[in-house]
């Protein structure tokens, strides 16, 4: 099962057209942190823990009684700053973040707890202690696809914000969904869904 296709409106976007979506409640494996993602050891540890547990849960679901196989969902991030000027000025030292991976309905809290224990037995990952499972619903949002490096997202974000403020107001946290494997793809080809809740 490929939930990116099942949940297509929320995991596909156009670079040309901003779309409004009503995002339902979904369950996520999450880790909270702060600081520059490019230099923070906590950020790297968070991503490693999220994917280690997500892939372990996938294999457990495939080998379990229901024998369900599915594609692990992409990394997502919620970003904000207590001092909004730090976010606007790209001062990443003051950024707060929640990194997360959506978990399909087959993956219960019990299965995730078993997956965390299994990873803990094999690897002593610092991020495992900070993992949490939480339901998250964004409701009405606008989103658009950004193609290129993260450092060049500014115009895309401004365009999205103008679209929202013309219809209402911004609310909630800046949300990004990373569709590309940045270890393999050239930065010019990175694809990121940029989403913002709107009132």
């Amino acid at each position: 099962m490929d939930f990116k296709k099942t949940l297509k409106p929320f995991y596909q976007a156009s670079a040309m057209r901003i779309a409004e979506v009503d995002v339902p409640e979904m369950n996520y494996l999450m880790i909270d942190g702060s600081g520059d993602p490019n230099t923070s050891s906590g950020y790297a540890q968070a991503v490693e823990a999220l994917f280690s547990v997500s892939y372990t849960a996938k294999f457990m679901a495939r080998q379990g009684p229901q024998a369900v196989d599915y594609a692990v969902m992409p990394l997502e991030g919620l970003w904000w700053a207590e001092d909004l000027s730090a976010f606007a000025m790209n001062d990443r030292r003051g950024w707060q973040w929640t990194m997360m991976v959506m978990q399909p309905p087959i993956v219960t809290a019990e299965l995730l707890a078993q997956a965390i224990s299994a990873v803990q037995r094999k690897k002593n990952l610092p991020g495992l202690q900070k993992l949490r499972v939480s339901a998250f619903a964004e409701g009405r949002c606008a989103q658009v696809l950004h193609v290129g490096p993260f450092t060049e997202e500014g115009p895309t974000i401004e365009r999205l914000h103008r679209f929202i403020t013309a219809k209402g107001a911004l609310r909630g946290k800046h949300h990004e969904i990373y569709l590309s494997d940045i270890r393999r793809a050239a930065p010019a080809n990175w694809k990121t869904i940029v989403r913002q809740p709107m009132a």
Side-chain angles (χ1 to χ4, degrees):
M1 298 179 69
D2 187 346
F3 286 93
K4 282 188 297 191
K5 293 180 179 177
T6 306
L7 300 168
K8 184 176 178 179
F10 316 118
Y11 288 94
Q12 291 187 22
S14 167
M16 302 297 294
R17 184 179 63 85
I18 295 172
E20 285 190 40
V21 291
D22 190 1
V23 186
E25 182 176 279
M26 292 182 270
N27 289 322
Y28 292 84
L29 194 60
M30 296 179 165
I31 294 186
D32 304 311
S34 61
D36 186 339
N38 293 320
T39 57
S40 166
S41 60
Y43 179 85
Q45 291 167 1
V47 173
E48 184 179 18
L50 283 168
F51 278 120
S52 294
V53 173
S54 293
Y55 275 98
T56 300
K58 164 195 165 72
F59 295 133
M60 286 180 165
R62 187 171 67 187
Q63 295 166 1
Q66 297 188 56
V68 174
D69 194 13
Y70 61 89
V72 169
M73 295 298 282
L75 181 69
E76 305 184 39
L78 303 177
W79 301 90
W80 73 100
E82 302 301 335
D83 177 0
L84 292 179
S85 65
F87 199 71
M89 296 175 65
N90 206 30
D91 181 1
R92 301 183 177 206
R93 295 169 300 174
W95 286 8
Q96 307 288 317
W97 43 261
T98 298
M99 304 313 297
M100 56 196 199
V101 176
M102 196 280 277
Q103 303 298 314
I106 185 68
V107 180
T108 62
E110 181 182 1
L111 181 59
L112 282 173
Q114 293 172 359
I116 291 171
S117 296
V119 173
Q120 185 73 64
R121 288 193 295 270
K122 293 180 181 178
K123 309 175 186 177
N124 187 24
L125 301 181
L128 291 176
Q129 307 302 322
K130 300 178 181 179
L131 284 173
R132 62 187 175 92
V133 181
S134 180
F136 179 60
E138 284 180 293
R140 186 185 180 208
C141 298
Q143 66 185 28
V144 67
L145 183 69
H146 172 76
V147 181
F150 305 135
T151 53
E152 296 178 5
E153 286 182 351
T156 302
I157 295 171
E158 289 174 12
R159 183 174 149 229
L160 181 65
H161 287 186
R162 284 196 304 270
F163 174 90
I164 292 172
T165 54
K167 296 191 165 201
L170 307 177
R171 65 173 179 82
K173 296 171 181 175
H174 176 84
H175 187 169
E176 296 187 354
I177 302 171
Y178 307 105
L179 302 179
S180 302
D181 184 344
I182 64 172
R183 299 168 299 176
R184 296 181 179 144
N189 298 325
W190 291 352
K191 294 181 179 179
T192 305
I193 295 176
V194 179
R195 179 185 295 165
Q196 179 66 49
M198 57 190 294

